[in-house]
Amino acid sequence: STSTSTTISNNKLRHTESSRLLLLLPACISSATSWSFCIDEVETRTVVTSVAQDDGTCMETRTTETRSCEIDAMACTTVQLYGRTGFNAGINGDYVKLPDKINEKDAFQSSSGFFLYWRSSFWRIAPATSGGYYARSADDAEHPLLVDSWLVYSGQSFDADPAVKTRCVAIDSGETTSSSTTATTQT
């Protein structure tokens, strides 16, 4: 009688019959990660393809696929403001949506206590919802994610800072992402 066994060892599939090696094939596995949360209006995923080589090993290829996506700014529950360096860099942070609107628009507060809210035709970043502010939007956008540019107080005046951006890092559906995989809408 002939005994037959199949084993996987060192990523190689071995089929033996009566202790004689008949077939040596690599146990190559291909996979793809899930689509990422929307970043800069694009979702990405990594596809890993493994192909059996003549020498019995697997050759792995990693490719990144992208596709367009959109995010509803109004569904965003946490806005991340980032990119400011130097004077007033403290405005950077995650701003969580407040339960009540301010001036009929969504308002947000950071863990450091700063408010991101709309008043008198622009968005403001301030220590309170009245009085002075550290930064403001250069335009009257419907939502802070849709602001084209930010003016930040430099100690002397409000100056445009093209490095300051916003992105959504949490939405109403409960999805959250780390800052390395976050959603950016129009800036």
Side-chain angles (χ1 to χ4, degrees):
S1 80
T2 304
S3 67
T4 303
S5 68
T6 303
T7 59
I8 295 177
S9 174
N10 297 330
N11 277 341
K12 295 179 182 176
L13 178 67
R14 296 180 186 270
H15 179 83
T16 57
E17 184 175 312
S18 300
S19 73
R20 189 174 130 225
L21 184 64
L22 293 180
L23 185 61
L24 175 63
L25 296 172
C28 298
I29 300 171
S30 295
S31 65
T33 59
S34 299
W35 287 102
S36 68
F37 193 67
C38 193
I39 303 170
D40 294 326
E41 298 179 8
V42 174
E43 291 176 301
T44 60
R45 74 175 178 172
T46 302
V47 177
V48 178
T49 306
S50 293
V51 178
Q53 302 298 299
D54 291 337
D55 66 358
T57 62
C58 293
M59 182 162 149
E60 188 175 271
T61 304
R62 292 178 181 266
T63 56
T64 300
E65 295 179 345
T66 60
R67 68 181 181 188
S68 271
C69 62
E70 291 183 10
I71 186 167
D72 178 7
M74 299 309 179
C76 187
T77 58
T78 304
V79 172
Q80 184 179 72
L81 187 119
Y82 65 100
R84 179 65 180 179
T85 58
F87 196 82
N88 271 334
I91 65 171
N92 294 326
D94 291 348
Y95 289 77
V96 177
K97 187 187 240 182
L98 297 172
D100 297 320
K101 294 181 183 267
I102 296 176
N103 301 316
E104 300 179 17
K105 294 199 181 196
D106 288 337
F108 304 82
Q109 186 173 19
S110 71
S111 60
S112 58
F114 296 143
F115 291 90
L116 172 56
Y117 69 100
W118 183 89
R119 181 173 175 211
S120 302
S121 74
F122 54 84
W123 289 91
R124 300 166 184 237
I125 300 166
T129 56
S130 62
Y133 47 91
Y134 303 118
R136 73 176 199 81
S137 64
D139 57 357
D140 183 15
E142 182 64 26
H143 193 276
L145 292 175
L146 305 176
V147 169
D148 286 324
S149 63
W150 291 91
L151 304 172
V152 183
Y153 188 68
S154 64
Q156 303 276 327
S157 61
F158 283 89
D159 301 318
D161 187 343
V164 176
K165 307 283 184 201
T166 56
R167 60 182 158 205
C168 181
V169 293
I171 58 175
D172 280 337
S173 71
E175 291 183 52
T176 58
T177 59
S178 69
S179 61
S180 62
T181 54
T182 56
T184 303
T185 60
Q186 298 173 0
T187 53

